[in-house]
Amino acid sequence: MFNWLGLIQILIIAAIVWLFYRSFIENTSSEKMVRGLLGLAGLWVLSFVLTWAHLDLLGAFLHWTALFLSLGLIVIFQPELRKFMALLGNIEGWSRMIHKGGVATRDTGALDAICSAVEYMSNKHTGALIVFPTTLDESAIDKKGVRVDAVITSELLLTIFFNKTPLHDGAVIIEHGRIAYAGAILPLSQNNLNWKYGTRHRAALGLSEVSRATVLVVSEESGDISIAEKGKFTKYDDIKKLRAKLDKVLSK
C-alpha cells in the first residue's frame, strides 16, 4: 500500500543529504572519498539482493569484496578522511548553511587597506597569502602562526609580507575585521596543479578544499592576484572586481 508519510520522509532525507553534499563536499577533494563510499554501499546492498534472490555464492563474493575494499579505503583515502573530518567539524559552516538572513556589515577602512596593499604587492611581485575565515574550523589549519590581533592597515600587511621578515612565507588570517594571525601554515593541496603554481597557491587551494575559507594569493613570480574558494582558483586582473569580491567576503 502506498504510504505518503514514508515518501515525505524519504524526500526530506534526500534533501538533507543533497544540501550537505552541495554545502560541504562538492568541488572538494573529499568528493572522491564520498563517491567511493557510495560505490561500496551499492555493492553491499547488491550483495543482499543477490542473497535474497538465492544467488548465495555471488552475494557472498560481493559482500566480502565490499568489506575488503572498505578496509582499503582507510589507507587509500587517509588524506581525504582527514579533510572530511575537518569539514564535518566545521560548526560555523553548519550554522551558515541553515542561516537565512542577517544584516551585513562592511568595514570600508579594512577593505581599502587590503586592496591597496594587494595592488602594491602585485605590482612589485611580492608574494602574499591572506585567509578570510568566514567559516573555518581550527583543525583545518596546520599551524595558526603568531598572534597579532591588530587593525588592518596596508602598511602592516606590506611589512608582514616583506621578503626580509620572518613571517612573510606564511599566511595572514583575518578574523572579525582584524589581522588575527601572521605566519600561519596551511594544508597543501594534494591535487596535481599546473607547474606555474607554487607553495602559496597549493596552500591556498588546500585550505579551500577542507573549509569554506576564502584565500587570496599574490604570486611572487607573476604578480597575479587569485582567490581560492571551494577547491578552485579565480584570477582577478581588475582591482575593482577584486574589491567587489572582497567586499562580499568581509560582509559575511
Side-chain angles (χ1 to χ4, degrees):
M1 182 177 178
F2 185 77
N3 190 332
W4 281 103
L5 186 59
L7 178 61
I8 292 173
Q9 293 180 82
I10 292 174
L11 291 176
I12 291 175
I13 293 173
I16 292 173
V17 172
W18 176 248
L19 183 61
F20 177 81
Y21 176 81
R22 289 295 303 272
S23 300
F24 293 100
I25 305 300
E26 189 178 31
N27 297 324
T28 70
S29 59
S30 299
E31 189 174 12
K32 295 184 295 182
M33 188 195 71
V34 172
R35 289 178 179 176
L37 291 174
L38 290 175
L40 284 178
L43 281 179
W44 192 274
V45 172
L46 183 58
S47 69
F48 284 103
V49 172
L50 292 173
T51 302
W52 176 79
H54 303 293
L55 299 174
D56 298 331
L57 183 60
L58 189 54
F61 173 76
L62 291 181
H63 175 84
W64 288 106
T65 299
L67 180 62
F68 176 77
L69 290 177
S70 64
L71 295 175
L73 279 181
I74 299 176
V75 178
I76 297 172
F77 289 110
Q78 187 176 5
E80 283 77 10
L81 279 171
R82 176 180 175 273
K83 295 177 180 180
F84 187 58
M85 291 300 106
L87 285 172
L88 291 179
N90 192 344
I91 303 301
E92 291 183 11
W94 281 96
S95 175
R96 180 184 175 191
M97 184 175 67
I98 63 177
H99 185 68
K100 294 183 179 180
V103 179
T105 58
R106 290 174 171 79
D107 186 347
T108 55
L111 180 61
D112 291 339
I114 294 171
C115 290
S116 176
V118 168
E119 185 177 19
Y120 180 87
M121 288 186 288
S122 174
N123 292 331
K124 297 296 183 180
H125 287 210
T126 300
L129 191 58
I130 304 176
V131 179
F132 302 90
T134 52
T135 54
L136 179 62
D137 183 71
E138 289 190 8
S139 63
I141 294 183
D142 292 344
K143 184 179 178 182
K144 274 201 166 182
V146 177
R147 180 71 177 177
V148 178
D149 191 22
V151 175
I152 300 175
T153 65
S154 58
E155 292 81 6
L156 181 54
L157 288 172
L158 292 175
T159 300
I160 291 173
F161 289 116
F162 179 60
N163 61 9
K164 301 299 182 182
T165 62
L167 300 176
H168 79 279
D169 275 335
V172 160
I173 300 178
I174 305 295
E175 289 181 345
H176 309 297
R178 295 174 66 85
I179 298 177
Y181 296 90
I185 306 300
L186 309 182
L188 299 181
S189 174
Q190 301 302 314
N191 292 332
N192 293 323
L193 301 181
N194 191 292
W195 61 268
K196 66 180 181 180
Y197 291 125
T199 304
R200 282 191 181 90
H201 288 84
R202 288 188 176 275
L205 196 66
L207 183 60
S208 73
E209 290 171 348
V210 301
S211 72
R212 288 307 185 197
T214 299
V215 189
L216 185 149
V217 191
V218 179
S219 172
E220 187 174 353
E221 288 74 22
S222 63
D224 291 343
I225 303 170
S226 303
I227 285 182
E229 283 184 316
K230 300 180 181 180
K232 292 183 178 180
F233 277 121
T234 303
K235 184 179 175 182
Y236 287 85
D237 295 321
D238 188 345
I239 197 67
K240 291 182 179 180
K241 292 182 179 179
L242 176 67
R243 180 186 174 88
K245 173 62 179 178
L246 294 180
D247 189 18
K248 293 179 181 178
V249 171
L250 291 172
S251 298
K252 294 179 182 178

